[in-house]
Amino acid sequence: MKSRLLTTVLILLLVWCAPAAANAQRNTKQRTVAITFDDLPVNSLQHDLASQELITRKLLRAITANRVPAIGFVNESKLLTAGRSDEKRVALLQMWLDAGLELGNHTFSHPDLHTTALNVFTDDVVRGEEVTRRLLEAKGRNLRYFRHPFLHTGNSLETKQKFEEFLIGRGYRIAPVTIDNSEWIFARAYENAMQRGDKQLAKRIGRTYISYMEEKFAYFEQQSLALFGYEMKQTLLLHANALNADYFHALAQMMKKRGYDFITLEEALKDKAYSSRDTYAGPAGITWIHRWAITAGKDEAFFKGEPRTPDFVLKEAGIKAE
Ligand SMILES: [Zn+2]
């Protein structure tokens, strides 16, 4: 009787401890991240429709297989063929919506707010709404998010604030980025290696991409902790490119191993950290965590330790420095 009781107690203990043990195995706490993709429909050296369809298909397969409620930010200038909206390219955006994902505006032609007059820039934002809004509304949804090209938010406080007022007036919410990274450099290197037929180098770039991104996650988890005292709901910036078509699945596995659940941008923005004061108006396109840190008066030491892109990747991308 006594041993039966002991066995029961032991079993109960085991059952009770199992989730904790599983968590310990993952070696993580509960973390959340919203995944955002810029430069839709596709950012690639391959402009032909067949290549862009293939990249989109592969990327969406990896996104949906991992149940990631992602958002894609569109440059509608990429939908043009010979100056006219090409329905076959519009169909690439439709694939995102049909996969249950959201779309946002990333301007029509990807201008740089730091070198473009504000009125020219806002015209480009408006021009970039047309197709995306139509597709969203056909699904009973609204166009509600804007992502700045190059993460350039204005190099004077006046421009920044005027532009933000314009966005609010048109019903947009800014889509910030907290986990900023140089994935676009890896993507360029990857495509260059593939085009030269150097599959071995492409594989090395792909593998290094995942470990580099894991270092970035570790860095920004710490940055959030240092600034806010907790790990915020993060927002990751990626691009719709061939690298992610081939490696997003591995990237999602890495995030899951770190304990991440994938959430919508809407859910992420509920974190109070996103309401922090941001008066940064410098030239750099940087993470919002650093904008908030600069605004809060953090000194240089705070920003130390950010992972760098390895030299062999920079070289293959044809980029001198980050
Ligand atoms: Zn972009």
Side-chain angles (χ1 to χ4, degrees):
M1 191 68 193
K2 212 174 182 182
S3 74
R4 228 210 232 133
L5 185 68
L6 196 67
T7 313
T8 312
V9 168
L10 270 174
I11 287 171
L12 277 173
L13 251 173
L14 271 173
V15 170
W16 189 68
C17 290
N23 252 344
Q25 229 170 29
R26 286 165 100 199
N27 191 24
T28 51
K29 29 187 140 181
Q30 205 55 39
R31 294 169 161 146
T32 51
V33 61
I35 315 279
T36 69
F37 290 90
D38 282 10
D39 302 0
L40 263 64
V42 171
N43 185 327
S44 170
L45 303 171
Q46 318 278 338
H47 295 291
D48 65 288
L49 186 65
S51 301
Q52 301 226 332
E53 273 175 354
L54 183 64
I55 290 170
T56 303
R57 241 177 259 290
K58 280 160 84 177
L59 180 58
L60 289 177
R61 204 181 300 140
I63 291 171
T64 50
N66 287 286
R67 298 174 190 279
V68 179
I71 178 168
F73 288 92
V74 180
N75 298 124
E76 291 193 8
S77 64
K78 291 181 172 173
L79 304 175
L80 302 183
T81 300
R84 295 186 141 191
S85 182
D86 179 345
E87 283 310 308
K88 289 190 172 136
R89 292 184 191 269
V90 172
L92 299 173
L93 296 183
Q94 188 65 48
M95 285 165 67
W96 282 71
L97 291 177
D98 291 344
L101 307 174
E102 178 147 16
L103 295 176
N105 188 350
H106 191 42
T107 71
F108 178 75
S109 63
H110 213 278
D112 182 345
L113 180 53
H114 293 178
T115 55
T116 310
L118 184 58
N119 65 320
V120 176
F121 193 85
T122 52
D123 282 352
D124 204 81
V125 173
V126 173
R127 198 176 170 199
E129 293 175 346
E130 202 183 310
V131 178
T132 310
R133 192 191 294 284
R134 169 164 60 81
L135 297 180
L136 278 164
E137 285 179 355
K139 291 260 184 195
R141 302 170 70 175
N142 294 321
L143 178 58
R144 53 186 184 150
Y145 293 111
F146 177 81
R147 164 70 48 75
H148 296 81
F150 313 104
L151 303 185
H152 284 176
T153 57
N155 49 14
S156 77
L157 207 50
E158 194 198 348
T159 304
K160 176 187 161 84
Q161 282 167 352
K162 272 192 181 161
F163 183 56
E164 284 176 8
E165 280 161 25
F166 161 84
L167 287 176
I168 291 165
R170 285 197 80 81
Y172 285 108
R173 182 142 191 211
I174 291 170
V177 171
T178 60
I179 302 182
D180 187 27
N181 57 81
S182 294
E183 156 263 16
W184 63 277
I185 298 177
F186 283 80
R188 194 179 291 180
Y190 184 72
E191 276 207 88
N192 286 346
M194 288 294 258
Q195 278 202 337
R196 289 197 290 112
D198 194 341
K199 284 192 176 167
Q200 220 173 338
L201 177 59
K203 245 189 194 168
R204 187 177 166 216
I205 293 164
R207 276 201 308 265
T208 309
Y209 169 52
I210 304 302
S211 52
Y212 161 87
M213 289 298 271
E214 181 150 26
E215 287 169 22
K216 280 277 179 179
F217 268 81
Y219 174 75
F220 284 116
E221 286 156 8
Q222 285 309 307
Q223 291 295 93
S224 169
L225 208 54
L227 188 60
F228 297 119
Y230 68 97
E231 284 192 33
M232 64 181 300
K233 296 178 193 289
Q234 301 275 5
T235 304
L236 174 67
L237 169 61
L238 299 173
H239 294 80
N241 55 35
L243 175 67
N244 286 315
D246 291 339
Y247 281 89
F248 183 73
H249 181 69
L251 196 64
Q253 297 307 306
M254 177 278 282
M255 291 184 254
K256 283 180 188 173
K257 256 192 241 152
R258 293 189 77 78
Y260 278 95
D261 282 335
F262 304 119
I263 56 172
T264 59
L265 180 59
E266 181 179 16
E267 188 57 36
L269 292 179
K270 287 178 185 166
D271 191 318
K272 63 181 187 302
Y274 288 95
S275 322
S276 307
R277 222 164 75 84
D278 165 24
T279 55
Y280 175 74
I286 52 174
T287 162
W288 264 250
I289 293 185
H290 287 172
R291 291 162 196 260
W292 297 319
I294 291 165
T295 306
K298 296 287 178 195
D299 64 16
E300 229 172 89
F302 179 88
F303 305 92
K304 280 210 173 113
E306 186 161 355
R308 312 299 300 175
T309 305
D311 284 342
F312 84 95
V313 179
L314 286 168
K315 189 176 159 224
E316 185 60 24
I319 290 170
K320 284 209 175 80
E322 268 180 282

